[in-house]
Amino acid sequence: MASVTVSFEVLPGGLPDKATTYAAVDAAIAVVAASGLTYRVCPMETTIEGDYDAIMAVIKQAQEAVLAAGASRVFTLIKVDYDPNGSSIAEKLAKYE
């Protein structure tokens, strides 16, 4: 399968305040950073590029990191751009950078 781009957003549930919520999201982002995949953190979501199955495994680990950070649940929104010819963050942003 060609490289895909996936954007996802984790929404921690059951946390008492903004600081704790941000810390849980930071734990998810740390998982992405440690994955070795190309990624970009944006204000409302994180975008990753690479092998579909590898990305989905990272998202699962990110969800688990949110729960380990104290959330009682995690809602996850996922957007996938699958193009049989490949997809990258750079090609999507080239004209803006």
Side-chain angles (χ1 to χ4, degrees), residues 4-11 24-35 37-49 55-56 58-59 62 76-81 89 93:
V4 300
T5 52
V6 177
S7 292
F8 78 105
E9 175 182 1
V10 292
L11 304 166
V25 172
D26 287 343
I29 293 169
V31 168
V32 175
S35 73
L37 296 171
T38 300
Y39 71 98
R40 183 175 188 127
V41 176
C42 300
M44 301 295 291
E45 65 189 8
T46 298
T47 302
I48 311 173
E49 71 179 62
I55 292 171
M56 290 302 151
V58 168
I59 291 173
T76 306
L77 305 172
I78 301 172
K79 297 184 280 187
V80 178
D81 177 9
I89 295 169
L93 296 176

Side-chain angles (χ1 to χ4, degrees), residues 69-92:
S72 60
R73 64 192 306 172
V74 59
F75 302 92
T76 306
L77 305 172
I78 301 172
K79 297 184 280 187
V80 178
D81 177 9
Y82 168 63
D83 178 343
N85 297 313
S87 177
S88 73
I89 295 169
E91 58 106 354
K92 288 175 176 42

Side-chain angles (χ1 to χ4, degrees), residues 18 21 92:
K18 187 185 283 190
T21 300
K92 288 175 176 42

